[in-house]
Amino acid sequence: MDEQVHAKGALYMRLIRPILLACAGSLLVTLMISLLVHGSMQPPRDHKTLPVFSEAAPIDIHSNNLVDVLEELPLQMHIGRVVWSGTTLTLDLNVGNTPDAAQDIYTHMQQIILFSFTQTTNVKQLFLRFVTPDDGSTSTKRLLLAVDASRDDWDRADLEMLRALTIGLSPEVKDKLHLRYTALWNKKFGSTD
């Protein structure tokens, strides 16, 4: 009797084993295909570039995350000074001596304003200064341009207009920024009048 049960069990296993192997193989192939299809549908990631605007929820800036947040911005200019006080962000950016420095300043101004007023929830006032070394001295800085921007002055349409600018600044944007050009700016880049 035991031999009959053992023989039936062995026969049963010989018949079931190929079916189980086929099912496991089919499941594995299906899983691999779905992973390949899902992976090919993802957009390529370029870790070297960061968008100025992201679809992520706006963040709260505070003294504990300020450095990390600003480090993520795709700025080419070095941040010389940063202060966070209540709802006011103050930044000094160091401008190099390049022929395109004026356009670089406007580009960085655009990036920082859009970041401050679209990607944060609590920056209400932005003081932004662009400084340059004083006649080759790296320790002394001279002011080129100052910006005093308030979130209350900017609505969605204004921010979209700023986002669309590619060269210089429109008169409407200049008014909202409360720009202060210095004599040094006029000497280096010409008058803005």
Side-chain angles (χ1 to χ4, degrees), residues 23-175:
C23 288
S26 296
L27 183 63
L28 183 62
V29 168
T30 303
L31 180 63
M32 289 175 64
I33 289 172
S34 69
L35 288 174
L36 286 172
V37 168
H38 178 70
S40 68
M41 295 171 91
Q42 298 296 320
R45 294 184 179 171
D46 182 3
H47 296 288
K48 294 180 183 174
T49 60
L50 291 173
V52 174
F53 316 105
S54 70
E55 298 300 322
I59 57 169
D60 284 333
I61 288 186
H62 46 82
S63 57
N64 294 337
N65 72 349
L66 182 61
V67 173
D68 294 331
V69 168
L70 293 177
E71 188 176 78
E72 294 296 318
L73 292 178
L75 301 176
Q76 301 302 315
M77 292 181 186
H78 175 72
I79 297 174
R81 177 177 163 252
V82 60
V83 176
W84 174 248
S85 177
T87 59
T88 301
L89 178 62
T90 303
L91 284 171
D92 283 1
L93 291 179
N94 296 325
V95 177
N97 291 322
T98 62
D100 295 331
Q103 185 56 43
D104 290 343
I105 289 170
Y106 290 134
T107 300
H108 280 73
M109 183 188 310
Q110 177 188 36
Q111 290 174 336
I112 292 171
I113 292 165
L114 288 168
F115 162 76
S116 297
F117 298 154
T118 65
Q119 293 183 317
T120 71
T121 57
N122 59 340
V123 174
K124 304 293 184 212
Q125 191 74 29
L126 174 66
F127 294 117
L128 182 58
R129 298 181 343 144
F130 293 91
V131 296
T132 188
D134 184 17
D135 297 328
S137 169
T138 56
S139 61
T140 307
K141 304 289 183 185
R142 293 184 61 197
L143 181 64
L144 286 167
L145 172 66
V147 176
D148 177 2
S150 173
R151 184 185 292 258
D152 293 338
D153 292 342
W154 294 83
D155 60 23
R156 193 171 205 51
D158 294 328
L159 291 167
E160 288 301 321
M161 181 175 57
L162 179 63
R163 182 177 288 156
L165 290 177
T166 56
I167 297 176
L169 298 173
S170 69
E172 298 86 7
V173 169
K174 284 183 180 182
D175 287 343

Side-chain angles (χ1 to χ4, degrees), residues 97-99 101-102 105 132-136 142-145 180-193:
N97 291 322
T98 62
I105 289 170
T132 188
D134 184 17
D135 297 328
R142 293 184 61 197
L143 181 64
L144 286 167
L145 172 66
R180 301 292 179 257
Y181 293 96
T182 64
L184 181 60
W185 174 282
N186 293 335
K187 180 180 172 185
K188 282 181 166 275
F189 305 115
S191 176
T192 60
D193 295 331

